[in-house]
Amino acid sequence: MSTIKTSANFTELGLISPLLARLTELEYQQPTPIQAQAIPNILVGRDLIAGANTGSGKTATFALPLLQQLFQQGKSEKQSSSKGNTVSGLVLVPTRELARQVADSIKSYAAHFNGAIKTVAVFGGVSVNTQMLALRGGTDILVATPGRLLDLISSNAVKLDRVKTLVLDEADRMLSLGFTEELAELLMLMPKKKQTLLFSATFPEQVQTLTQALLNDPIEIQVQSAETSTLVQRVFTVNKGQKTALLAHLVKTNQWRQALIFVNAKKSCKHLADKLSKRGITAEVFHGDKGQGARNRVLDAFKVGEIEVLIATDIAARGLDIEKLPVVINFDLPRSPSDYMHRIGRSGRAGEVGLALSLIDHEDYHHFKIIEKKNKIRLEREEVAGFEMAEIIPDAYLDAGKPMAKPQGSGKKNRKKKAIEASDIWLKKF
Ligand code: AMP
């Protein structure tokens, strides 16, 4: 592990004035911890492996130095590298939404380069022709999902033999979505000698293998959740039959500006939206069966606050950056503990206060314990007044029959008291 430089303001990180001016406009007052540690090292050409919470500012971490390096390489080199549909900086991402979002951020950071850096996003689900046209004459920064990129390579619309910097964003997600073979194929098409920056929220074995094969004496940065988290996590127990009623109650009582609600199946999105509609709440749905155009429209409307309640599958759990999203609700628990972290990471981003709420019924108890254990968290079970569990949780639902260690003061009276506190104090807080 190498020594890590740290710095407290953007000027000290070695960034050039067109970028500093843009950061001032964006009102970024201080680098986030990952930015402070990584940017100076990326600028001097080091490889990087970073484990950071979503919302930690990782896009700017790679985008700012990448833009600076390409800008400084100057016009002469750029002209030669722009022949023949080549790419200088390649950012691989797992989903279409993330590709759009990352490319938009890069373009925004480059606002004072007066068009000197060309950034293109390519992803599936939309016409390939427009993307082919955009790639003509070479691209400085290409943000791509692996499948569509391979399609474009096979039609000679783009070549990777001049890639100088490779960014793998959400590497764990890319591998878990089955992009392993695509990644291997893409890596074969790139020069061996290049700078590689790998970001991953979690480090399963597959990511570690990739890291060993790909990175050269990397700087390693792990931003611990405690340093960056402004997210409050809570868990509410409720009878299965009352989950929808509790959700409607929470949405109405709290008047959240926006709420992102996760369910596990595409058809559950519509089902829940219909049930909420009967209770006077309008909700939109977001899942993989919607066309790309519809997905973009819904997401854009949610981002600007035209849609207040969005019911989504895990397709929305990764990387999406919705400014100041006040609350994420797990109506269904995610299957994997790492998806729990990704879902809740949609709220409490970049230092904003956020709330992640999970509604669990008897059947969810055991699974939620696993989520807690894997993510090294322990949350007190709470109830909302009027939605208390009908009875004490049967042992059968607890840890394979073992009685669960009761949180302090978990007797019936206390539980009632807690429910009242939760509704009176907490519900007013957000
Ligand atoms: P990311 O983790 O890249 O998705 O970034 C999350 C959010 O933080 C985005 O809305 C960024 O615009 C914002 N952001 C990134 N860096 C900073 C910073 N240093 N100060 C304030 N906001 C930031």
Side-chain angles (χ1 to χ4, degrees), residues 125-142:
V126 290
S127 151
V128 78
N129 294 337
T130 330
Q131 296 178 351
M132 281 176 150
L133 273 178
L135 291 166
R136 276 205 189 149
T139 304
D140 293 298
I141 302 178
L142 178 62

Side-chain angles (χ1 to χ4, degrees), residues 143-201:
V143 185
T145 52
R148 175 54 63 96
L149 180 56
L150 280 170
D151 291 346
L152 287 161
I153 291 169
S154 64
S155 27
N156 288 323
V158 63
K159 282 193 195 157
L160 303 185
D161 58 347
R162 304 288 280 270
V163 168
K164 293 190 172 93
T165 305
L166 167 67
V167 179
L168 293 168
D169 194 10
E170 312 237 350
D172 52 345
R173 176 68 161 171
M174 256 189 289
L175 295 171
S176 75
L177 280 177
F179 284 132
T180 315
E181 278 169 29
E182 275 96 337
L183 266 184
E185 228 178 296
L186 289 169
L187 289 168
M188 304 255 288
L189 299 170
M190 292 177 221
K192 266 216 151 67
K193 189 166 174 288
K194 61 182 174 306
Q195 184 178 24
T196 304
L197 314 173
L198 183 144
F199 294 82
S200 196

Side-chain angles (χ1 to χ4, degrees), residues 52-58 170 201 317-319 341-342 344-350:
N53 284 348
T54 46
S56 58
K58 66 186 161 76
E170 312 237 350
R318 292 275 177 151
M341 296 313 281
H342 288 296
I344 69 172
R346 300 309 98 216
S347 185
R349 291 164 78 74

Side-chain angles (χ1 to χ4, degrees), residues 10 23 26-35 52-62 64 98 101-102 105 109 169-170 319-324 346 349-351:
F10 279 112
L23 294 174
L26 291 172
E27 297 177 0
Y28 287 14
Q29 281 156 11
Q30 258 198 325
T32 63
I34 189 172
Q35 290 164 357
N53 284 348
T54 46
S56 58
K58 66 186 161 76
T59 313
T61 302
F62 63 77
L64 296 170
L98 201 53
Q101 187 178 292
V102 167
S105 298
Y109 296 134
D169 194 10
E170 312 237 350
L320 292 187
D321 178 30
I322 295 149
E323 212 180 328
K324 299 185 181 168
R346 300 309 98 216
R349 291 164 78 74

